[in-house]
Amino acid sequence: MRRLRVQRIAAPGLALGATAIVLAACGSSGNGSGGSGSSGSGSGGSSLSGTLNASGSTFQLTFQQAASQAFKSVQPGMTVNYGGGGSGKGRTDLASGTVNFAGSDSPVPTAEKAGFKAKTVLYFPVVIGPITVSYNVPGVTNLKLTAPVIASIFQGTIKTWDDSAIKSVNPGVSLPSTAITVARRSDSSGTTQNFSQFLVDGAPGVWKLGSDSTINWPATSRGGNGNGGVAQIVKSTPGAVGYVDYADAKASGLTFATVKNKAGQYVAPTTQSASAAADQATVAPDLTFSAIWAPGASSYPITYQSWDLVTQSQRSSSTAKMLRAYLGYLLGAGQKLLPALNYAPLPAGLDQKATAQLSKIGS
């Protein structure tokens, strides 16, 4: 395994209109971050017709919506439907054969592998980005948090915003006695998996709830469906705090904390700090990796990654061709959509490995 060097790409403000994003993609014929051309590897420039259905990661949802629209300029006869629903749902749907690919923010857990009936699952990384710790505390805009403090908040042992543990890392900040409402995912979620893994790594001995796509949260917490559901709880509830991916947090106008990283630096979630974390990632032969709790002074410590999962053997050659074309697009011209959507593009070396893997999808 080797470490990948990540291209630093500054993210402009969130593009609220999908039209501008689609036009930008349609007007680009160059490659993505080291990926294939805009026609998508595997399409061979031929005209394809049919529908691909997918579900899973809500972290990917905004990107998938923009990319599937832009892809129409390349393959107007193809339709791609992406339903969200959380990483766990995507993997379940893929195992049962009800979707053609699944978005997942974590590899298939051991407990789920039997559901794939020995089918080979291919991992195609498509995007990386930060998970924010978003909060709603009127008058507080510059909150700093550490992994142990975050762990204590989310397992319910810190109950108010003026707790001494929060004050100790925020000297001079006027913190109210407002009760804390923890907002978390109610669905099986890769965001939950990665956020809880950060707490396992960053707060050993403090965090007691483990790491999984579902967590036995305190009864006082409030569950929301998808990143958007958690964002809505935070936005509408004074005193709330929740873990929300950066793109959704920005779109919802949330305020989020800077978080102390492994190197002891407080770092804000941005596409640049996510790229800095992914720059340290060690990639396995199946293209799985983790950027959580990465070393480096500029690394944001809750950076995670998302894959599109497909089974290697498809039912028909036409489906295999469509998957190669669309995934090739995501790895090529689709990478250029990411900065405007507040995601970070893939490291060039990883993008190239994923593109080379497209040829494995067959019937």
Side-chain angles (χ1 to χ4, degrees):
M1 299 181 189
R2 65 183 182 86
R3 286 185 174 176
L4 297 168
R5 312 310 297 174
V6 178
Q7 187 179 9
R8 263 55 168 195
I9 301 180
L14 179 67
L16 297 180
T19 303
I21 298 170
V22 172
L23 288 175
C26 292
S28 172
S29 60
N31 292 348
S33 179
S36 62
S38 63
S39 63
S41 177
S43 68
S46 61
S47 178
L48 300 174
S49 179
T51 299
L52 293 177
N53 293 310
S55 63
S57 164
T58 61
F59 173 53
Q60 286 190 36
L61 184 58
T62 301
F63 174 47
Q64 291 286 352
Q65 289 172 337
S68 61
Q69 291 181 57
F71 184 61
K72 280 287 189 181
S73 69
V74 178
Q75 292 289 355
M78 277 184 60
T79 298
V80 180
N81 300 314
Y82 187 89
S87 296
K89 182 180 187 303
R91 295 191 302 266
T92 298
D93 289 346
L94 182 64
S96 66
T98 58
V99 296
N100 302 110
F101 70 91
S104 180
D105 306 328
S106 58
V108 177
T110 301
E112 296 180 18
K113 289 181 178 178
F116 285 90
K117 298 180 176 64
K119 294 177 182 176
T120 299
V121 176
L122 300 177
Y123 292 88
F124 290 90
V126 291
V127 62
I128 55 177
I131 301 171
T132 71
V133 181
S134 292
Y135 63 93
N136 182 348
V137 184
V140 178
T141 58
N142 56 345
L143 190 70
K144 295 180 179 179
L145 294 173
T146 66
V149 169
I150 295 169
S152 296
I153 289 171
F154 277 84
Q155 60 192 12
T157 52
I158 290 179
K159 301 180 183 297
T160 61
W161 283 106
D162 63 350
D163 188 279
S164 60
I166 303 178
K167 283 185 171 181
S168 69
V169 294
N170 291 278
V173 178
S174 180
L175 293 164
S177 59
T178 307
I180 295 174
T181 298
V182 169
R184 44 77 180 177
R185 292 285 288 270
S186 59
D187 51 331
S188 178
S189 160
T191 310
T192 299
Q193 176 98 47
N194 285 280
F195 178 70
S196 57
Q197 186 61 52
F198 155 71
L199 296 174
V200 168
D201 295 342
V206 178
W207 180 247
K208 308 295 186 184
L209 304 184
S211 178
D212 207 337
S213 57
T214 58
I215 296 289
N216 186 22
W217 299 104
T220 54
S221 64
R222 291 179 57 186
N225 188 54
N227 277 290
V230 176
Q232 182 55 38
I233 294 172
V234 175
K235 189 177 183 68
S236 62
T237 310
V241 61
Y243 55 95
V244 183
D245 81 88
Y246 182 68
D248 279 299
K250 291 278 285 186
S252 298
L254 300 182
T255 301
F256 33 79
T258 57
V259 181
K260 191 175 184 179
N261 68 10
K262 191 173 185 177
Q265 302 298 311
Y266 286 93
V267 179
T270 64
T271 55
Q272 295 96 325
S273 61
S275 290
D279 194 26
Q280 305 296 322
T282 299
V283 180
D286 65 356
L287 305 189
T288 60
F289 65 98
S290 175
I292 294 291
W293 200 239
S298 58
S299 297
Y300 182 68
I302 328 177
T303 293
Y304 76 133
Q305 56 292 312
S306 198
W307 297 268
D308 284 341
L309 276 54
V310 302
T311 54
Q312 182 169 334
S313 180
Q314 297 296 312
R315 296 176 181 174
S316 69
S317 60
S318 61
T319 300
K321 288 177 182 177
M322 288 192 293
L323 283 168
R324 290 195 297 266
Y326 182 63
L327 293 175
Y329 181 83
L330 297 183
L331 295 165
Q335 291 291 297
K336 294 185 176 181
L337 302 175
L338 292 168
L341 297 170
N342 289 306
Y343 300 99
L346 295 176
L350 179 59
D351 188 277
Q352 290 164 1
K353 286 185 175 182
T355 300
Q357 185 179 244
L358 289 167
S359 62
K360 293 184 179 180
I361 302 174
S363 58

